[in-house]
Amino acid sequence: MPSTAWYNSMSRMRATVARQRPPFKPYPRKPRKRHAVERDHLLFWYLQSALWGRYSGSTETKLSRDLDIIRSGEGLEGLIGELRLSRGSLRIRPDDFGGSSLGARFYPMLYLMTRTGQAVDWGSGIPLKKQLLGKNSTLEVHHIFPKKRLRDAGYVKKQVNAIANFCFLTKGTNLAISASDPAVYLAEIEERFPGALASQWVPTDPKLWHVDRYLDFLAERRVLLAAAANALMEDLLHGTPLDLGGATPAVAAASGADVPGGLGSEDEERELRELNAWVAAQGLHEGELEHELVDAQTGLALAVLDLAWPDGLQQGLGEPVAVLLDEPAEVLARASAAGYRCFVDVAEFRRYVEGAVGGEGDVAAE
């Protein structure tokens, strides 16, 4: 699965913990059932923290608060309670699956649901749990409505790459389907493997499988995805409701639909990974793929930057830099407002790096 904002956010949390080195005492041995409940509560807290970017902004402040909760003996219940205070409702809404690109916060959630639920491959009918797939354990992102058909019909990039248009399949199945008409191939899959579409939260109403009903398809699938995600979260809480006392969100949710930017395709991701490796080969710091730009005060996501060096190409020196390929003007504007030097062309960025390595650029502060 591609690198995401989850990894970047939680990596900053881990780095801060490592610096503080709190004097934690080891947990005493507990009955196996209680251990399982605590394990699930820990996973719930991790998922919620990652989904909402708890450590994306003001990392030190939020982490200090969480460490204080742990030291006070409140444990996981205290950490989850803190999430409730900051967000109000912990329930996932259909609009939260409204993002696009591989860098959206809810893209990893879709992958997690696929790997841990009852999702099956559409070409073989085999469950997509890693331990059951053997040599086919690596999954690929599949556009349910093929990109070419959507572009030919006039849909824009953000609509084409909507998370609700993604599912995960084995490589062979993905290649076999290719650019097939969804109105045809979805019907064939359902006939061959009854329940396979529902296992991947795909609406089973054939009327929604036509390109001219694509937006209706996305809306219905977001409802199905949110219901499945909430069911997973409720299972992890072992009976504790997601909403306590009819709570409503205490802060505006940074749903995927509101966060522009991010990788638009696997080809784009491959190009940027190669570029990142080339930068590292020049003796410079590797950038962050799909870096989440956040508001330092609110912690809300502003944009997803394709490839970024928030601390400069030489870590801690010079200006932050970002490479943004085929992104809307608002992404460039938000990155520029945050102090980033932005490049929309790979060749131009390479020249900038070569000049910096040769001493002609301004990577390091003067």
Side-chain angles (χ1 to χ4, degrees):
M1 185 178 66
S3 172
T4 67
W6 280 27
Y7 176 82
N8 296 332
S9 172
M10 302 310 284
S11 290
R12 283 190 285 272
M13 179 269 285
R14 288 193 294 269
T16 307
V17 168
R19 290 197 302 272
Q20 295 200 18
R21 295 184 179 275
F24 291 131
K25 296 180 180 180
Y27 281 110
R29 294 180 66 86
K30 297 174 181 176
R32 184 169 298 177
K33 182 176 180 181
R34 183 178 175 187
H35 173 76
V37 172
E38 288 196 347
R39 176 203 62 204
D40 289 350
H41 282 191
L42 177 60
L43 180 56
F44 174 87
W45 171 82
Y46 177 86
L47 291 174
Q48 288 282 339
S49 297
L51 285 172
W52 309 116
R54 178 160 178 78
Y55 300 109
S56 295
S58 304
T59 304
E60 296 277 355
T61 300
K62 292 176 181 176
L63 187 55
S64 293
R65 170 59 184 159
D66 289 346
L67 290 174
D68 287 342
I69 290 173
I70 294 173
R71 292 188 182 107
S72 71
E74 297 177 61
L76 285 169
E77 298 307 315
L79 291 175
I80 294 173
E82 181 68 14
L83 291 177
R84 293 187 189 279
L85 286 175
S86 63
R87 290 203 55 79
S89 173
L90 299 180
R91 186 169 296 278
I92 294 169
R93 306 165 304 163
D95 285 349
D96 293 326
F97 280 98
S100 61
S101 88
L102 307 183
R105 285 182 179 175
F106 277 78
Y107 170 77
M109 187 66 189
L110 176 60
Y111 181 86
L112 174 68
M113 291 160 58
T114 301
R115 284 299 207 183
T116 61
Q118 304 301 315
V120 301
D121 182 59
W122 291 349
S124 64
I126 297 175
L128 293 176
K129 296 179 184 293
K130 186 171 184 178
Q131 64 270 28
L132 299 179
L133 285 173
K135 65 179 181 180
N136 294 319
S137 62
T138 300
L139 302 183
E140 292 188 351
V141 181
H142 171 69
H143 285 70
I144 300 172
F145 280 68
K147 291 181 284 186
K148 185 178 186 307
R149 289 181 179 272
L150 292 176
R151 289 167 181 159
D152 290 347
Y155 292 99
V156 299
K157 174 184 174 182
K158 188 172 183 179
Q159 295 170 325
V160 171
N161 292 316
I163 292 176
N165 191 33
F166 293 163
C167 72
F168 293 93
L169 301 172
T170 58
K171 182 176 182 178
T173 299
N174 192 25
L175 290 173
I177 294 175
S178 188
S180 300
D181 183 351
V184 175
Y185 87 81
L186 291 177
E188 292 174 347
I189 290 169
E190 188 61 23
E191 181 178 0
R192 185 180 178 192
F193 301 111
L197 299 182
S199 79
Q200 297 240 28
W201 314 283
V202 170
T204 54
D205 182 355
K207 297 186 185 69
L208 300 180
W209 300 346
H210 296 273
V211 172
D212 62 347
R213 296 290 305 276
Y214 176 60
L215 297 183
D216 295 327
F217 171 89
L218 293 181
E220 180 60 23
R221 189 162 189 246
R222 287 174 188 134
V223 171
L224 298 174
L225 289 170
N230 285 322
L232 172 62
M233 292 293 186
E234 288 171 345
D235 285 346
L236 293 175
L237 285 179
H238 289 264
T240 303
L242 287 171
D243 295 326
L244 297 180
T248 55
V251 296
S255 71
D258 301 324
V259 184
L263 300 180
S265 69
E266 292 181 332
D267 289 339
E268 185 176 304
E269 180 195 357
R270 189 178 304 110
E271 181 180 13
L272 289 173
R273 286 189 183 278
E274 291 174 354
L275 180 64
N276 205 12
W278 176 81
V279 170
Q282 312 307 307
L284 298 172
H285 180 59
E286 281 195 7
E288 291 184 11
L289 200 64
E290 297 178 322
H291 173 73
E292 191 175 63
L293 181 67
V294 301
D295 186 303
Q297 299 301 317
T298 65
L300 296 181
L302 300 174
V304 177
L305 310 184
D306 293 341
L307 182 59
W309 287 261
D311 299 318
L313 286 170
Q314 294 180 10
Q315 197 164 18
L317 300 175
E319 61 191 346
V321 179
V323 177
L324 307 173
L325 302 183
D326 195 24
E327 295 295 355
E330 61 180 321
V331 174
L332 273 71
R334 293 180 183 185
S336 297
Y340 279 81
R341 181 166 183 169
C342 300
F343 295 86
V344 297
D345 180 77
V346 169
E348 181 185 357
F349 174 73
R350 283 179 179 267
R351 288 192 293 271
Y352 168 76
V353 172
E354 289 168 347
V357 171
E360 301 173 4
D362 57 353
V363 170
E366 298 292 339

